[in-house]
Amino acid sequence: MFRGVDEMIEKEQVLNEIIEYYLKSHDFNGLPIYQMKYYDYKILCELIDDGVIEVLSEKEVLNPHIKGFDFNIPVERQKENVSRRTKHSVLYPTRKALKNISADYSSPYTVLMQKGEKQFKIIYFNIEILERYANNPKFLIMDSGYRGNIYPKDEYCEDKTIEDEYIKDYGMAYIEGEHLERAIGVFVCDLAKLSPQKQMLWKGFELSNQEYCKIASGFVDNLIHGKWVTKVWIFHALIDEMIVINEQCKAMGIPKLFNKTFGTHFSEMPEGYRNIFLPTLKNYYDFVLVLEKLVVHNLSYKTFQKSAPYITSINRYDETGKEKGSLTMFEEWLCKNIRTKENLTEIIIKPLRNIRSLRQKPAHELTSNKYDVCLYQKQVDLMNDTYAAIRAIRLFFANHPLAKDVKVPEYLISGKDIVNY
């Protein structure tokens, strides 16, 4: 038996109410059942059977007001969740229901949401898009290795050309292939909040090989599963090693080895001390310069010139009266004060000299900038070698009787879960 015309209109009213709420909500939210104007259990069941609405509840998801994924909740359970208006259930139109709605294609990521895309779908982009922000003093990039944020500096928030250009979270991603090659991934819900102009800008950097991209596991674990990320970025670990070494020096009664130490919050780290975004020679050598200033140029001559219990000082000048370089003094000081079968020059001094040597090349030669994806791995290798050298200093210093009680973070002691991204 066919339903009457009035009943069909009522069914359309129910569906339209759900669609309209979804499209007009701030974050493409579902309609809470307790807010429905046209609640009718029988019609809702028919809409579920028709595949034009989907029901989420707090029984199945932590936050039913956001449709982050395709949950594939059984039909009968969805019907149970709409059986009473007092239930905390939320109704969403499906892609089928949204298929023919009119959309403004000048905002490509808003269109995806208008067509029912899951909010936490990750879109992958050429990492070159980050260069736009890294080289623009109007913006800040908060980089934590596996994830980051992009936002305008406070003094430029009113700049009309910025248009609230803000990426709440991006994740470090990798492109499958022979060499390490980075990309970034962004949730479509965050992209949809950009202005039409900026959405089209980002669209121009969208990768065509989306299926070959993989997001860093910490990004998903932290932002989607709410897990605490226990792995430590090697950039942060190096800073923490330097802090501990200076504390060891204090305990041993000598001046601190590093003139200045830094914190691991993005605002406390040296500018440019991070993964290079675009793998160019200029970016690589810019990073080498930062690393040289952080580790090598930062060494204090005073450390090597003071005697203390179990420590012998060395002279600042050589036999001809010429000042010794910091690495020359450090090598001599290590060999005089640390008794070990290990090759201290190979373990500690050689990696530090390598940094200085790399830094001198662009300083004394005319070099041409070029793109080379292998520079990603070169930076990883450089950071690994540098970290190993600094860690070795801390381990040797720990054998000094007066430094044994200096507190060392557990993760530095174990050496586990220190990673490059």
Side-chain angles (χ1 to χ4, degrees):
M1 184 175 181
F2 293 100
R3 294 184 182 275
V5 173
D6 291 342
E7 199 166 359
M8 289 298 292
I9 292 174
E10 187 177 348
K11 184 176 180 180
E12 187 176 328
Q13 283 179 323
V14 175
L15 178 58
N16 285 341
E17 182 183 7
I18 296 169
I19 291 175
E20 186 174 346
Y21 185 91
Y22 173 79
L23 294 176
K24 291 184 177 181
S25 63
H26 185 263
D27 292 314
F28 295 96
N29 308 111
L31 173 62
I33 195 169
Y34 51 80
Q35 288 184 217
M36 288 193 72
K37 181 179 179 180
Y38 300 110
Y39 172 79
D40 185 294
Y41 173 67
K42 195 171 183 179
I43 291 176
L44 288 175
C45 288
E46 289 182 6
L47 293 174
I48 292 171
D49 286 332
D50 292 343
V52 292
I53 69 167
E54 182 179 7
V55 183
L56 303 183
S57 82
E58 55 190 1
K59 296 177 184 178
E60 290 83 26
V61 297
L62 187 63
N63 180 9
H65 298 280
I66 296 291
K67 185 183 175 184
F69 309 95
D70 290 325
F71 292 101
N72 299 316
I73 299 170
V75 167
E76 293 307 314
R77 185 178 297 178
Q78 292 187 57
K79 291 179 179 179
E80 164 60 24
N81 288 337
V82 297
S83 60
R84 292 194 304 275
R85 196 170 184 175
T86 55
K87 284 181 174 286
H88 197 81
S89 299
V90 183
L91 287 67
Y92 291 85
T94 65
R95 290 183 178 88
K96 180 179 178 180
L98 296 167
K99 184 178 179 180
N100 295 318
I101 65 158
S102 61
D104 180 5
Y105 288 90
S106 65
S107 301
Y109 301 110
T110 302
V111 169
L112 288 178
M113 295 303 303
Q114 290 172 336
K115 295 292 187 178
E117 184 59 80
K118 51 188 181 291
Q119 298 221 10
F120 295 148
K121 176 181 174 64
I122 297 173
I123 309 291
Y124 295 99
F125 298 89
N126 188 316
I127 201 166
E128 186 179 352
I129 184 69
L130 291 186
E131 292 286 324
R132 177 179 186 274
Y133 302 99
N135 296 322
N136 189 336
K138 293 182 179 180
F139 289 92
L140 283 174
I141 296 181
M142 296 176 59
D143 191 0
S144 301
Y146 72 94
R147 60 178 281 200
N149 323 95
I150 304 168
Y151 60 94
K153 293 180 180 177
D154 291 343
E155 60 267 37
Y156 296 106
C157 285
E158 302 301 320
D159 189 330
K160 293 181 180 180
T161 63
I162 288 178
E163 297 178 313
D164 296 323
E165 195 168 353
Y166 167 66
I167 295 294
K168 184 180 178 183
D169 295 290
Y170 68 80
M172 187 57 67
Y174 309 95
I175 303 172
E176 184 181 315
E178 181 181 355
H179 303 287
L180 169 63
E181 187 170 2
R182 296 190 179 103
I184 62 165
V186 183
F187 293 131
V188 67
C189 59
D190 289 335
L191 293 164
K193 294 175 183 176
L194 296 172
S195 69
Q197 181 187 12
K198 296 307 187 292
Q199 287 191 42
M200 292 302 290
L201 172 72
W202 275 76
K203 185 69 177 177
F205 289 89
E206 187 177 317
L207 292 171
S208 59
N209 56 342
Q210 296 279 311
E211 69 276 14
Y212 295 108
C213 299
K214 185 177 181 180
I215 202 78
S217 60
F219 183 77
V220 175
D221 289 343
N222 189 209
L223 294 178
I224 295 179
H225 302 308
K227 295 180 181 178
W228 193 264
V229 175
T230 57
K231 289 182 171 60
V232 180
W233 194 19
I234 195 169
F235 285 77
H236 291 165
L238 180 60
I239 286 174
D240 283 342
E241 292 280 12
M242 293 170 66
I243 292 171
V244 173
I245 288 169
N246 273 3
E247 288 298 314
Q248 290 173 321
C249 290
K250 182 179 178 182
M252 292 187 290
I254 58 176
K256 57 190 180 181
L257 181 61
F258 299 105
N259 288 307
K260 184 177 181 180
T261 53
F262 299 83
T264 56
H265 187 267
F266 90 98
S267 63
E268 301 168 322
M269 293 168 65
E271 187 174 349
Y273 180 63
R274 53 165 172 75
N275 290 326
I276 56 174
F277 294 143
L278 199 63
T280 64
L281 270 180
K282 181 183 182 304
N283 284 346
Y284 178 70
Y285 283 132
D286 284 350
F287 169 75
V288 170
L289 178 60
V290 172
L291 189 63
E292 196 272 342
K293 288 180 179 179
L294 173 70
V295 177
V296 183
H297 190 71
N298 199 16
L299 291 171
S300 172
Y301 293 99
K302 297 177 182 179
T303 307
F304 317 125
Q305 294 177 279
K306 182 178 179 182
S307 296
Y310 309 102
I311 293 176
T312 302
S313 64
I314 63 171
N315 203 309
R316 178 76 171 87
Y317 302 92
D318 64 18
E319 295 176 353
T320 66
K322 183 180 178 182
E323 286 189 348
K324 300 173 186 174
S326 58
L327 290 179
T328 300
M329 288 187 73
F330 193 19
E331 183 177 16
E332 183 182 342
W333 185 89
L334 287 171
C335 292
K336 182 172 283 190
N337 289 289
I338 296 178
R339 296 177 182 176
T340 178
K341 293 181 180 180
E342 302 286 350
N343 188 330
L344 295 172
T345 298
E346 190 71 22
I347 296 171
I348 297 173
I349 302 301
K350 185 177 178 180
L352 301 186
R353 282 208 169 106
N354 181 50
I355 298 171
R356 176 152 285 176
S357 176
L358 287 171
R359 193 269 297 173
Q360 287 175 342
K361 185 172 182 179
H364 299 288
E365 297 179 21
L366 292 174
T367 57
S368 297
N369 194 20
K370 71 174 183 176
Y371 181 97
D372 183 358
V373 72
C374 293
L375 290 170
Y376 283 138
Q377 189 59 52
K378 282 188 177 183
Q379 186 191 27
V380 168
D381 294 340
L382 182 61
M383 277 302 297
N384 285 340
D385 292 344
T386 303
Y387 178 74
I390 301 303
R391 185 172 191 266
I393 296 171
R394 192 255 303 165
L395 291 172
F396 282 122
F397 281 15
N399 293 321
H400 191 286
L402 299 179
K404 291 186 179 297
D405 293 331
V406 173
K407 291 184 179 180
V408 182
E410 182 59 37
Y411 86 91
L412 292 182
I413 296 174
S414 69
K416 296 179 181 178
D417 292 332
I418 297 173
V419 298
N420 280 285
Y421 288 110

